Amino acid sequence: MSTHLNGQDKTALHAALAARRTQIEAQQRSHLAGQTRVEHAREVLLQDGDDAPQRDADREVDLAISDREVVELAAIDAALARLASGHYGLCSDCDGEIPLARLKLEPQALRCVACETQRERLRPRTASM
Ligand SMILES: [Zn+2]
């Protein structure tokens, strides 16, 4: 199965996906380390008992960032799987070609702009994060 992307395009997009994946994994590791530090700080501060609300807020921000990373990582893995199966670059909803310019900006994109817009309209955004 071939798409509008040539071998060189696919190689470049694969490299971009792999690089982004490595970057997210590094971020996740640093968040995990950060959470361990937060837990440690919590234990220390529980003995003093001050400043608790601020620390909880920090932790929530950390978790929100991790969630986004998990979602993006899943999208990247899906894109890599589609690249391997030869379906990469085709919209997962309408099978239309996703323009190379869009893929260069967002290599993990699984849908064409029209379908992505449609989806975002149907799915209400969860509160401002
Ligand atoms: Zn589409």
Side-chain angles (χ1 to χ4, degrees), residues 9-79:
D9 293 334
K10 287 185 191 173
T11 303
L13 290 162
H14 183 274
L17 285 165
R20 182 69 187 133
R21 198 177 194 292
T22 305
Q23 196 184 355
I24 293 174
E25 280 176 342
Q27 277 172 12
Q28 282 183 321
R29 273 196 299 276
S30 78
H31 282 313
L32 286 178
Q35 275 174 28
T36 307
R37 277 202 304 278
V38 168
E39 287 302 330
H40 180 70
R42 187 181 299 269
E43 283 168 28
V44 171
L45 284 163
L46 274 176
Q47 294 158 9
D48 292 348
D50 66 347
D51 202 27
Q54 180 55 43
R55 278 179 294 110
D56 282 349
D58 285 350
R59 187 174 169 77
E60 272 170 31
V61 169
D62 255 10
L63 290 175
I65 291 170
S66 301
D67 280 352
R68 264 207 301 279
E69 286 167 353
V70 168
V71 168
E72 192 177 351
L73 209 51
I76 289 172
D77 280 344

